[in-house]
Amino acid sequence: MSFSDFHGNAETVHRLRDMLARNRFPHAVILSGARGSGKYTLALMLAQALNCLTPTETDGLPDFCGQCANCRRIAQSGDLDARFAEAVETREGLREADKKETRLFVQTHPDVLIIPPDPPQMMIKVDQVRRVIETIYYRPAEARERVYIFTDSAFMKEAANSLLKVLEEPPEFATIFLLSENPGELLPTIRSRSMVFPLAAVPVEEVERYLAEHRPEWKQSQRGGEHTQLFKITESYRPGAEGREKTERLLRTLYSLLRDLMFLGSGTPELVQNTDIQSQLTRMAETADFDWIATASDRLAEVERGMRRNLLRSLSLDSLGLALERTT
Ligand SMILES: [Zn+2]
């Protein structure tokens, strides 16, 4: 992994890396943008670049190695949904009394703390900000820079006021990232103490370049028709049903759906092929980011390879179903 793996927003990424190069990285950064624009991915990459033990340079700007202990441990937080689910599960396992006292965090590196909104209200709570205050003034143990990433900007009132106090006097060795779909919901005083970097959805040229490079088989096919086929196929499909051709058609159709999700995610709904299920696809696109679509298409490729090795079709399709479940 390196900054070259980040899709879209090249100019913004360039600006951020340039500030790293000049040792001018701000103490509070707001990354704003729609779901799927890569806010979290970029924040983790910057956390790695701030703390890489063997930093590299690409295009004349600082980059991270992705291999050293700091890079690897920070990258373990990459699957935010999975880490969040683990944290929720751990809390569920506690005694009732402790449950109430315990706030959710994701932490895979001692100096990098990720603060997700706390369920059931799904808001950042004052006890979470307290943890930030308790730790932020201590020099990092294994990193150069303490990093805090708030993954959402929905703060309880008291939590927002506490955060403001930290932002008034942040220590030299700490960086706070605030990720937001709507920075307008942050206190104006928090915004004014932070540097705001808007991230646009991944532009369509970039999606097409990516597709041409990684998925040449996704060439634009005839508009329409595909979806009708999909429903015919799923209706008649039974585990172990005969017909390799049928499964292959299903896979092709799934590819076309992923492709549509990609277009919706990049803000170009006019390129969607399966137009009659566009509203369902739009809902899916809200929870499927670029990385997820890339992973899903890799899984599809695995199924295809599995078929070639004559694995049980039903088995590989079941595992694909599990992989795709996350979007629904
Ligand atoms: Zn590294």
Side-chain angles (χ1 to χ4, degrees), residues 55-234:
T56 53
E57 260 195 16
T58 51
D59 308 321
L61 287 170
D63 211 327
F64 55 97
C65 74
Q67 307 291 327
C68 70
N70 280 349
C71 281
R72 275 189 288 115
R73 289 168 80 185
I74 295 169
Q76 283 166 8
S77 293
D79 189 343
L80 181 60
D81 289 350
R83 297 292 90 79
F84 177 77
E86 284 164 14
V88 170
E89 202 176 309
T90 306
R91 181 163 73 180
E92 284 308 304
L94 296 175
R95 291 181 311 155
E96 272 316 307
D98 295 335
K99 232 184 259 184
K100 283 205 188 71
E101 309 273 294
T102 307
R103 292 285 160 259
L104 285 194
F105 297 98
V106 169
Q107 187 161 33
T108 56
H109 185 290
D111 302 313
V112 179
L113 186 68
I114 291 143
I115 306 109
D118 197 279
Q121 301 89 339
M122 291 309 276
M123 294 187 79
I124 308 282
K125 294 178 181 160
V126 69
D127 286 343
Q128 290 175 293
V129 180
R130 264 190 207 128
R131 172 82 71 88
V132 176
I133 297 172
E134 281 162 14
T135 53
I136 196 167
Y137 298 102
Y138 294 95
R139 288 199 169 271
E142 293 170 44
R144 282 190 300 280
E145 189 87 3
R146 276 191 184 280
V147 177
Y148 297 87
I149 304 174
F150 289 90
T151 66
D152 198 285
S153 55
F155 282 78
M156 306 278 267
K157 196 161 173 245
E158 208 185 330
N161 287 328
S162 301
L163 177 66
L164 183 58
K165 290 203 193 90
V166 182
L167 294 181
E168 279 165 357
E169 261 181 296
E172 266 311 299
F173 44 76
T175 302
I176 296 172
F177 289 97
L178 292 160
L179 313 186
S180 178
E181 284 179 46
N182 172 21
E185 70 186 358
L186 288 165
L187 288 179
T189 40
I190 287 182
R191 284 205 307 274
S192 68
R193 284 176 173 79
S194 315
M195 218 159 160
V196 185
F197 295 87
L199 295 183
V202 181
V204 66
E205 301 79 41
E206 184 126 1
V207 173
E208 297 217 303
R209 204 163 46 238
Y210 176 87
L211 290 176
E213 228 172 86
H214 298 269
R215 307 274 172 256
E217 69 277 16
W218 289 15
K219 285 212 193 74
Q220 182 97 22
S221 54
Q222 293 296 308
R223 182 175 276 273
E226 298 264 348
H227 61 276
T228 340
Q229 234 174 34
L230 172 71
F231 291 123
K232 236 187 288 168
I233 295 162
T234 46

